């Protein structure tokens, strides 16, 4: 569960770590590129409600799997986008997919663990997210310098798909 949440942060924040490089490499402004991040946060928040609804009707393991698959596909799609509206659309879908990770993970922990173990697991899982963010910020400059900003999305997508395969 902690590794899954680690990967969720890698696939969620991959866009944020490359915006400065995207400004340098595209003809788009910081404001145009940042709109996708804002849209993602909005759909992530709204998606929490939707995820809670679906979480009562579908297996949480399946919701996490599809969240991982869709966020991976959106990480693959972003480098193909040319226009801010395309990026906004793709990253809003990513935000929605991300909303299908945390609530089902919490539901799984509540089902699998006693109260004491649940509390420890919650800490471990949230640390996974923090470490995912740290790793993304540490590795991204190397990826950008070696293969360009698109590589951050490709590597994130590969990590997400790998986790989806393991999760299945």
């Amino acid at each position: 569960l902690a590794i899954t949440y680690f990967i969720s942060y890698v696939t969620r924040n991959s866009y944020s770590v490359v915006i400065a490089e995207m400004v340098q490499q595209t003809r788009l402004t910081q404001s145009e590129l940042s709109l996708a991040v804002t849209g993602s946060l909005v759909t992530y928040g709204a998606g929490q409600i939707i995820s809670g609804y679906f979480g009562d009707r579908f297996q949480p393991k399946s919701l996490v799997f599809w969240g991982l698959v869709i966020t991976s596909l959106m990480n693959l799609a972003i480098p193909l986008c040319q226009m801010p509206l395309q990026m906004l659309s793709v990253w809003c879908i990513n935000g929605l997919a991300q909303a299908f990770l945390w609530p089902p993970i919490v539901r799984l922990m509540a089902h699998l663990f006693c109260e004491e173990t649940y509390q420890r697991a919650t800490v471990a899982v949230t640390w996974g997210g923090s470490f995912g963010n740290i790793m993304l910020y540490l590795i991204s400059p190397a990826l950008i310098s070696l293969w360009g900003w698109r590589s951050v999305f490709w590597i994130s997508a590969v990590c997400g798909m790998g986790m989806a395969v393991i999760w299945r």
Side-chain angles (χ1 to χ4, degrees):
L1 296 172
I3 294 170
T4 301
Y5 207 52
F6 174 97
I7 298 298
S8 81
Y9 266 68
V10 169
T11 55
R12 179 185 314 164
N13 295 323
S14 52
Y15 191 102
S16 297
V17 301
V18 300
I19 287 179
E21 188 65 23
M22 290 171 75
V23 168
Q24 296 293 330
Q25 299 296 318
T26 69
R27 293 185 213 179
L28 302 173
T29 67
Q30 174 100 18
S31 296
E32 290 172 319
L33 291 166
S34 297
L35 186 59
V37 175
T38 302
S40 176
L41 292 172
V42 170
T43 57
Y44 178 74
Q48 295 288 324
I49 297 165
I50 297 166
S51 178
Y53 175 80
F54 283 126
D56 292 337
R57 287 154 183 75
F58 298 101
Q59 292 295 319
K61 187 175 178 184
S62 179
L63 295 176
V64 171
F65 171 78
W66 287 109
L68 287 166
V69 168
I70 293 169
T71 194
S72 298
L73 292 173
M74 295 307 103
N75 271 270
L76 287 175
I78 274 288
L80 304 175
C81 296
Q82 302 286 319
M83 306 295 292
L85 187 57
Q86 293 169 324
M87 293 175 180
L88 172 64
S89 300
V90 167
W91 218 241
C92 281
I93 294 168
N94 191 63
L96 187 60
Q98 288 287 326
F100 283 84
L101 298 173
W102 177 248
I105 286 173
V106 171
R107 184 168 175 225
L108 280 168
M109 289 188 302
H111 177 75
L112 294 172
F113 304 132
C114 68
E115 187 174 333
E116 182 182 325
T117 305
Y118 172 84
Q119 291 174 357
R120 286 195 317 262
T122 301
V123 171
V125 169
T126 56
W127 281 14
S130 296
F131 287 128
N133 223 18
I134 291 166
M135 185 62 66
L136 185 63
Y137 277 89
L138 289 175
I139 299 295
S140 292
L143 292 175
I144 291 168
S145 67
L146 290 171
W147 300 302
W149 63 267
R150 290 173 179 87
S151 68
V152 174
F153 292 109
W154 299 329
I155 298 297
S156 297
V158 168
C159 291
M161 283 299 198
M163 192 71 238
V165 168
I166 292 167
W167 191 261
R168 195 53 151 175

